[in-house]
């Protein structure tokens, strides 16, 4: 083994010798500097962000911002390759599913020890950027789970709902059953058995959580998970949700294929920021309502749409702080960005967002305002194995819906695997 | 002596070809027509043809990102692809000829090792290569994408193996004749083998061009700034995890992105002609 | 002796650029990848030595076996079908008739369009529950066709079909190979009284064996490396029925941050593909015919 190691070292050192110079010199004067800002997003977000950067550079002549952006596909491969390769960007757009991984490996800076003014943000939402009590990420904004519905389809079925008064899960199920009976070739609701967000809501409505606070174990009880699988399986058997093959084609994020788009169902549960796109895709007027859950246990929650983080290794700490503050709080930035990165957790910025918004966005903002009032405790940051567990839940739910295993057995399987993944960390 | 089919046979061939063409091309029509549909129609309507035709996806999509339009992305992809074609032709002919025709120590071992490098997924070798290129200061330039093709790394082992197979199929009497005429190895390579390898060289060019044009992962990893973006990294910007993807723009630009490759192929495939030696020499 | 030395020297001259790449890039990253397989490596912090623990957990990983099975099925079904189809089409396209160039382009377009997200969506559309394919099946009397791409039983075959649809690169290699066959051989065969079918089996096929061999070896290697189809079209599902080996490896490495584990997977893959390729090379002695070497008349 030693010889092999020597071989590797020598092969790599050939490359090192060949290299004329290492990383490019970055000026590290106290205030100025050249900072790399990395984000994912579509054409729109990127163009808006580029504009904001130009404004920022104009206001801070000593700072130069180099943008790096990609679509969501590939963003995490690129970021981890760069980080592993010793080339981490200074300011990073972060996601809930990945935050803890980057924190655990000591790559991010504790933002409570910086000059960023944290007093302007909503406390509870700010907590969603904390890992082990330290703040590593500030939410750019929040989204809330919402029940999207097609009012005209409900009217046709002769039913109605009150968007501000949450249903219980049982009420939702019977509503779905009624619609299936009343309307030909229509399902009551999309099947959400495999969605971790909806399951989280379900668990919270029973006074539970999905993950424990320290992210080292599952907090949801076995019986709740079994109930959850049974809930959707029963609806599927009754024809109130699409059949398993239909549901299996709707993997996470592919909202363009949702039954509500195709007029196959009047209901779907999605994130509030997807509302505008959903209306466009469906090509008709939709509405937002509180998802099922009842309100005794305060199940509703806000999810950070994304965060800003700063690399621990940054050579331009002050400049990075300035940029993050600007992106989060500047009125000029809000004017350009609108709610693209979510509904702000800074109340004065949120007001500005509301004033600039078009009708659809106004609907979304007022919905998020409503959930903010109702929300219970914030969700802890995802465990490091979150990606793995989400995939596991998707697969397990598919096995239940395709009737390869019973809900009880599926629950046991899921618990064994998830527990061991969480333990490993 | 060309073998020309009789008229009835000709008709049969055409009929088979046309039916096959329709089946093969049909899936692409879906994308083509979707690129002319307004966003509200793409997923909500089941009909193949748009109800309302629009060019908005072509004009909006072309605007690109971060102040750089698809003009820049096409130019970058073109530069990259052409450079990789040159690199691939260079390395595959030299190395392929050596492996196919020359005897040397370690030949089988080296050849085996070259094949083995193709059996490791690039997702694994990416990290060490990134470290090397980062140390060289090459990240955010075209160098990590071009230089490997000149020294037989990344996609080029495929081409080297292809050349080996092709050259091994060329009659060996040619070499002997050339040696008798006083050609040295380099002259044999340049005067005899290269001209006879035209079909293989065209094949290598088409593949090297297209694979670079279509490559996403390494371009994503190595190119940071929008002025260096290529078509495939540009296309990636239309997609979003939260579902707010710009489908129409994506389809429109995807359609445009295959045009240069089609044109190149249309132009190059004409040169699929027989080498000089194979038409007459043997018998 | 002298001549052999001279030729060896000349060979290394020709190989010089390739050897540089080998020493600087390939060997280094190849060895490094092997080293990673014996470490805990999360991509972000430095690797730490882990002995053979990655391999141990690999062999008790249920999904590892599933992904291996899925990939083997894909290799065994798609490689021969693609080979036969591309060979037949290439033979058809190797005629000198008007408009042949257009056909060649049309047949090549599917391969040019790649496996982007756009292709994924259109492919999902055609093979979905009420997609075009099922409309055709229903019109010829099949009452309840399956939902192909989202049915765990059939999803893999949709991906196989996609790979056959993209048969263009093999087709082109065969076209190039066909151009290498001297007309004189056909003439000789015609004089001997062989009809077209006989000519195909006794002239075309044997002369094409180097290219068949190439496509077989590369097709096998590439089929083992299949990733994108599973990644963009089915995301490995439903119920992991399209969880290709490299897709699982990618997930472990880049999504679950177990790069050491992924490296161990890649070593196992290397051995498996190596065995397959080695086997093909061994058999090649018996059926591959090189005009330039012994046996060419």
């Amino acid at each position: 083994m030693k010889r092999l190691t020597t071989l590797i070292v020598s092969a790599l050192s050939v490359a090192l010798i060949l290299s004329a110079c290492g990383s490019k010199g970055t000026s590290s004067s106290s205030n100025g500097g050249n900072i790399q800002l990395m984000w994912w997003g579509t054409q729109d977000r990127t163009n808006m962000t580029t504009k904001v950067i130009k404004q920022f550079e104009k206001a801070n002549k000593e700072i130069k911002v180099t943008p790096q952006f990609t679509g969501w596909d590939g963003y995490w491969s690129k970021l981890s390759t760069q980080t592993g390769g010793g080339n981490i960007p200074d300011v990073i757009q972060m996601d809930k599913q990945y935050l803890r991984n980057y924190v655990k490996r000591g790559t991010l800076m504790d933002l409570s020890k910086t000059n960023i003014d944290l007093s302007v943000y909503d406390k509870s939402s700010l907590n969603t950027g904390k890992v082990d009590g330290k703040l590593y990420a500030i939410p750019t904004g929040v989204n809330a789970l919402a029940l999207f519905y097609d009012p005209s389809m409900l009217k046709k079925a002769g039913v109605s709902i009150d968007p501000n008064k949450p249903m219980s899960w049982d009420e939702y199920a019977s509503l779905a059953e009624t619609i299936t009976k009343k309307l030909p070739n229509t399902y009551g609701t999309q099947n959400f058995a495999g969605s971790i967000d909806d399951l989280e809501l379900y668990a919270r409505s029973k006074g539970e959580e999905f993950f424990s606070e320290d992210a080292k174990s599952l907090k949801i009880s076995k019986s709740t998970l079994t109930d959850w699988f049974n809930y959707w399986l029963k609806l599927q058997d009754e024809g109130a949700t699409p059949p398993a093959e239909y549901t299996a084609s709707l993997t996470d994020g592919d909202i363009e294929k949702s039954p509500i788009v195709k007029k196959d169902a009047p209901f779907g549960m999605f994130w509030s920021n997807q509302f505008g796109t959903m209306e466009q895709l469906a090509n008709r007027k939709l509405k937002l309502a509180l998802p099922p859950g009842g309100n005794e246990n305060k199940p509703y929650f806000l999810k950070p749409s994304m965060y800003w983080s700063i690399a621990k290794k940054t050579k331009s700490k002050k400049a990075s702080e300035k940029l993050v503050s600007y992106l989060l709080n500047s009125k000029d930035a809000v004017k350009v960005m609108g709610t693209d990165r979510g509904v702000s957790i800074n109340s004065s910025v949120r007001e500005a967002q509301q004033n600039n918004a078009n009708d659809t966005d106004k609907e979304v903002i007022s919905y998020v305002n409503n959930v903010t009032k109702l929300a219970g405790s914030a969700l802890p940051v995802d465990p490091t194995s979150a990606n793995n567990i989400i995939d596991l839940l998707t697969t397990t739910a598919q096995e239940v819906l395709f009737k390869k295993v019973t809900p009880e057995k599926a629950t046991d399987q899921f618990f064994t695997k998830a527990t061991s993944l969480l333990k490993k960390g | 002596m060309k073998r020309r089919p009789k008229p009835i046979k000709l008709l049969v061939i055409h009929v088979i070809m046309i039916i096959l063409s329709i089946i093969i091309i049909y899936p692409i029509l879906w994308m083509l027509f979707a690129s002319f549909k307004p966003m509200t129609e793409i997923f909500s309507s089941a009909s193949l043809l748009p109800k309302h035709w629009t060019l908005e996806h072509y004009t909006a999509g072309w605007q690109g990102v971060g102040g750089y339009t698809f003009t820049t992305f096409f130019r970058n992809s073109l530069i990259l692809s052409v450079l990789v074609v040159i690199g691939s032709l260079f390395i595959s002919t030299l190395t392929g000829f050596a492996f196919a025709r020359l005897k040397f120590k370690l030949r089988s071992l080296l050849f085996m090792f070259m094949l083995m490098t193709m059996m490791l997924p690039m997702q694994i070798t990416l990290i060490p290569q990134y470290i090397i290129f980062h140390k060289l200061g090459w990240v955010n330039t075209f160098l990590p994408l071009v230089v490997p093709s000149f020294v037989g790394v990344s996609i080029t082992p495929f081409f080297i193996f292809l050349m080996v197979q092709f050259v091994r199929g060329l009659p060996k009497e040619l070499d002997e004749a050339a040696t008798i005429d006083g050609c040295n190895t380099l002259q044999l390579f340049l005067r005899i083998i290269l001209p006879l390898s035209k079909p293989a060289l065209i094949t290598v060019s088409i593949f090297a061009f297209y694979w670079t044009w279509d490559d996403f992962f390494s371009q994503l990893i190595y190119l940071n700034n929008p002025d260096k973006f290529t078509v495939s990294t540009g296309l990636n910007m239309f997609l979003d995890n939260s579902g707010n993807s710009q489908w129409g723009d994506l389809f429109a630009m995807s359609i445009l992105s295959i045009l240069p490759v089609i044109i190149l192929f249309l132009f190059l495939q004409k040169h699929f002609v027989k080498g000089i030696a194979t038409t007459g020499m043997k018998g | 002796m002298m001549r052999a030395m001279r030729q060896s020297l000349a060979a290394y001259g020709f190989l010089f650029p390739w050897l540089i790449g080998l020493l600087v890039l390939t060997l280094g990253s190849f060895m490094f990848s092997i080293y990673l397989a014996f470490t805990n490596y999360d991509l972000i912090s430095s690797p730490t030595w882990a002995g053979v623990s990655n391999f141990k957990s690999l062999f008790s990983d249920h999904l590892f076996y599933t992904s291996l099975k899925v990939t083997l099925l894909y290799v065994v079904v798609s490689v021969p079908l693609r080979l036969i189809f591309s060979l037949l089409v290439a033979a058809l396209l190797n005629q000198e008739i008007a408009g042949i160039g257009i056909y060649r382009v049309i047949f090549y377009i599917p391969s040019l369009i790649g496996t982007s997200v756009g292709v994924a969506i259109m492919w999902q559309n055609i093979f979905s529950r009420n997609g075009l394919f099922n409309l055709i099946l229903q019109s010829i009397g099949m009452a309840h066709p399956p939902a192909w791409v989202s049915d765990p039983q059939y999803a893999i075959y949709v991906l196989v079909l996609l790979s056959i649809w993209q048969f263009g690169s093999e087709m082109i290699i065969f076209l190039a190979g066909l151009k290498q066959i001297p007309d004189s051989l056909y003439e000789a065969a015609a004089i001997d009284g062989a009809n077209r079918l006989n000519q195909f089996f006794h002239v075309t096929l044997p002369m094409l064996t180097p290219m068949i061999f190439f496509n077989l070896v590369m097709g096998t290697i590439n089929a083992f490396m299949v990733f994108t189809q599973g990644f963009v079209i089915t995301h490995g599902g439903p119920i992991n029925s399209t969880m290709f080996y490299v897709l699982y490896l990618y997930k472990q490495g880049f999504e679950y941050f177990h790069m050491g584990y992924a490296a161990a997977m890649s070593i196992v893959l290397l051995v498996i593909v190596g065995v397959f390729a080695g086997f093909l090379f061994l058999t090649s002695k018996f059926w591959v015919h090189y005009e330039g070497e012994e046996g060419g008349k």
Side-chain angles (χ1 to χ4, degrees), chain A residues 175-186:
Chain A
L175 190 62
E177 285 156 7
T178 315
I179 293 165
T180 308
K181 273 179 213 137
K182 291 265 172 74
L183 297 179
N185 298 324
T186 307

PDB file of all heavy atoms in Angstrom, chain A residues 175-186:
ATOM      1  N   LEU A 175     -63.445  14.829   1.173  1.00  0.00           N
ATOM      2  CA  LEU A 175     -63.664  15.773   0.079  1.00  0.00           C
ATOM      3  C   LEU A 175     -63.160  15.170  -1.245  1.00  0.00           C
ATOM      4  O   LEU A 175     -63.844  15.216  -2.276  1.00  0.00           O
ATOM      5  CB  LEU A 175     -62.912  17.075   0.385  1.00  0.00           C
ATOM      6  CG  LEU A 175     -63.200  18.266  -0.511  1.00  0.00           C
ATOM      7  CD1 LEU A 175     -64.671  18.663  -0.414  1.00  0.00           C
ATOM      8  CD2 LEU A 175     -62.327  19.454  -0.120  1.00  0.00           C
ATOM      9  N   ALA A 176     -61.974  14.579  -1.185  1.00  0.00           N
ATOM     10  CA  ALA A 176     -61.395  13.967  -2.384  1.00  0.00           C
ATOM     11  C   ALA A 176     -62.301  12.848  -2.897  1.00  0.00           C
ATOM     12  O   ALA A 176     -62.515  12.701  -4.109  1.00  0.00           O
ATOM     13  CB  ALA A 176     -59.996  13.437  -2.078  1.00  0.00           C
ATOM     14  N   GLU A 177     -62.839  12.064  -1.967  1.00  0.00           N
ATOM     15  CA  GLU A 177     -63.723  10.969  -2.367  1.00  0.00           C
ATOM     16  C   GLU A 177     -64.989  11.497  -3.040  1.00  0.00           C
ATOM     17  O   GLU A 177     -65.441  10.972  -4.066  1.00  0.00           O
ATOM     18  CB  GLU A 177     -64.088  10.117  -1.146  1.00  0.00           C
ATOM     19  CG  GLU A 177     -62.943   9.213  -0.697  1.00  0.00           C
ATOM     20  CD  GLU A 177     -63.045   8.809   0.768  1.00  0.00           C
ATOM     21  OE1 GLU A 177     -64.070   9.117   1.416  1.00  0.00           O
ATOM     22  OE2 GLU A 177     -62.091   8.199   1.266  1.00  0.00           O
ATOM     23  N   THR A 178     -65.548  12.555  -2.462  1.00  0.00           N
ATOM     24  CA  THR A 178     -66.757  13.138  -3.053  1.00  0.00           C
ATOM     25  C   THR A 178     -66.501  13.610  -4.479  1.00  0.00           C
ATOM     26  O   THR A 178     -67.289  13.336  -5.394  1.00  0.00           O
ATOM     27  CB  THR A 178     -67.226  14.350  -2.218  1.00  0.00           C
ATOM     28  OG1 THR A 178     -67.167  14.009  -0.845  1.00  0.00           O
ATOM     29  CG2 THR A 178     -68.610  14.783  -2.613  1.00  0.00           C
ATOM     30  N   ILE A 179     -65.391  14.319  -4.644  1.00  0.00           N
ATOM     31  CA  ILE A 179     -65.089  14.846  -5.981  1.00  0.00           C
ATOM     32  C   ILE A 179     -64.948  13.717  -6.996  1.00  0.00           C
ATOM     33  O   ILE A 179     -65.459  13.789  -8.120  1.00  0.00           O
ATOM     34  CB  ILE A 179     -63.805  15.697  -5.928  1.00  0.00           C
ATOM     35  CG1 ILE A 179     -64.062  16.960  -5.106  1.00  0.00           C
ATOM     36  CG2 ILE A 179     -63.323  16.057  -7.320  1.00  0.00           C
ATOM     37  CD1 ILE A 179     -62.821  17.692  -4.684  1.00  0.00           C
ATOM     38  N   THR A 180     -64.283  12.634  -6.581  1.00  0.00           N
ATOM     39  CA  THR A 180     -64.108  11.495  -7.476  1.00  0.00           C
ATOM     40  C   THR A 180     -65.453  10.930  -7.913  1.00  0.00           C
ATOM     41  O   THR A 180     -65.631  10.546  -9.072  1.00  0.00           O
ATOM     42  CB  THR A 180     -63.299  10.393  -6.770  1.00  0.00           C
ATOM     43  OG1 THR A 180     -62.107  10.975  -6.244  1.00  0.00           O
ATOM     44  CG2 THR A 180     -62.936   9.291  -7.731  1.00  0.00           C
ATOM     45  N   LYS A 181     -66.409  10.904  -6.975  1.00  0.00           N
ATOM     46  CA  LYS A 181     -67.722  10.370  -7.313  1.00  0.00           C
ATOM     47  C   LYS A 181     -68.491  11.302  -8.239  1.00  0.00           C
ATOM     48  O   LYS A 181     -69.178  10.868  -9.160  1.00  0.00           O
ATOM     49  CB  LYS A 181     -68.522  10.125  -6.028  1.00  0.00           C
ATOM     50  CG  LYS A 181     -68.235   8.755  -5.441  1.00  0.00           C
ATOM     51  CD  LYS A 181     -69.023   8.549  -4.139  1.00  0.00           C
ATOM     52  CE  LYS A 181     -68.247   7.694  -3.174  1.00  0.00           C
ATOM     53  NZ  LYS A 181     -68.278   8.184  -1.802  1.00  0.00           N
ATOM     54  N   LYS A 182     -68.363  12.616  -7.976  1.00  0.00           N
ATOM     55  CA  LYS A 182     -69.164  13.597  -8.712  1.00  0.00           C
ATOM     56  C   LYS A 182     -68.659  13.848 -10.128  1.00  0.00           C
ATOM     57  O   LYS A 182     -69.439  14.059 -11.058  1.00  0.00           O
ATOM     58  CB  LYS A 182     -69.188  14.928  -7.943  1.00  0.00           C
ATOM     59  CG  LYS A 182     -69.965  14.867  -6.638  1.00  0.00           C
ATOM     60  CD  LYS A 182     -71.395  15.333  -6.842  1.00  0.00           C
ATOM     61  CE  LYS A 182     -72.242  15.109  -5.600  1.00  0.00           C
ATOM     62  NZ  LYS A 182     -71.918  16.081  -4.528  1.00  0.00           N
ATOM     63  N   LEU A 183     -67.331  13.894 -10.276  1.00  0.00           N
ATOM     64  CA  LEU A 183     -66.796  14.249 -11.591  1.00  0.00           C
ATOM     65  C   LEU A 183     -66.241  13.012 -12.289  1.00  0.00           C
ATOM     66  O   LEU A 183     -65.451  12.273 -11.698  1.00  0.00           O
ATOM     67  CB  LEU A 183     -65.683  15.295 -11.452  1.00  0.00           C
ATOM     68  CG  LEU A 183     -66.068  16.654 -10.871  1.00  0.00           C
ATOM     69  CD1 LEU A 183     -64.830  17.541 -10.783  1.00  0.00           C
ATOM     70  CD2 LEU A 183     -67.130  17.325 -11.723  1.00  0.00           C
ATOM     71  N   PRO A 184     -66.647  12.788 -13.551  1.00  0.00           N
ATOM     72  CA  PRO A 184     -66.116  11.632 -14.268  1.00  0.00           C
ATOM     73  C   PRO A 184     -64.644  11.846 -14.629  1.00  0.00           C
ATOM     74  O   PRO A 184     -64.227  12.983 -14.882  1.00  0.00           O
ATOM     75  CB  PRO A 184     -66.984  11.590 -15.533  1.00  0.00           C
ATOM     76  CG  PRO A 184     -67.475  12.996 -15.720  1.00  0.00           C
ATOM     77  CD  PRO A 184     -67.556  13.617 -14.357  1.00  0.00           C
ATOM     78  N   ASN A 185     -63.877  10.761 -14.624  1.00  0.00           N
ATOM     79  CA  ASN A 185     -62.464  10.818 -15.014  1.00  0.00           C
ATOM     80  C   ASN A 185     -61.652  11.835 -14.232  1.00  0.00           C
ATOM     81  O   ASN A 185     -60.736  12.449 -14.781  1.00  0.00           O
ATOM     82  CB  ASN A 185     -62.321  11.135 -16.504  1.00  0.00           C
ATOM     83  CG  ASN A 185     -62.950  10.077 -17.366  1.00  0.00           C
ATOM     84  OD1 ASN A 185     -62.894   8.891 -17.023  1.00  0.00           O
ATOM     85  ND2 ASN A 185     -63.597  10.491 -18.432  1.00  0.00           N
ATOM     86  N   THR A 186     -62.034  12.056 -12.996  1.00  0.00           N
ATOM     87  CA  THR A 186     -61.276  13.006 -12.197  1.00  0.00           C
ATOM     88  C   THR A 186     -60.888  12.362 -10.879  1.00  0.00           C
ATOM     89  O   THR A 186     -61.668  11.616 -10.295  1.00  0.00           O
ATOM     90  CB  THR A 186     -62.113  14.257 -11.909  1.00  0.00           C
ATOM     91  OG1 THR A 186     -62.594  14.755 -13.142  1.00  0.00           O
ATOM     92  CG2 THR A 186     -61.280  15.332 -11.232  1.00  0.00           C
TER      93      THR A 186
END
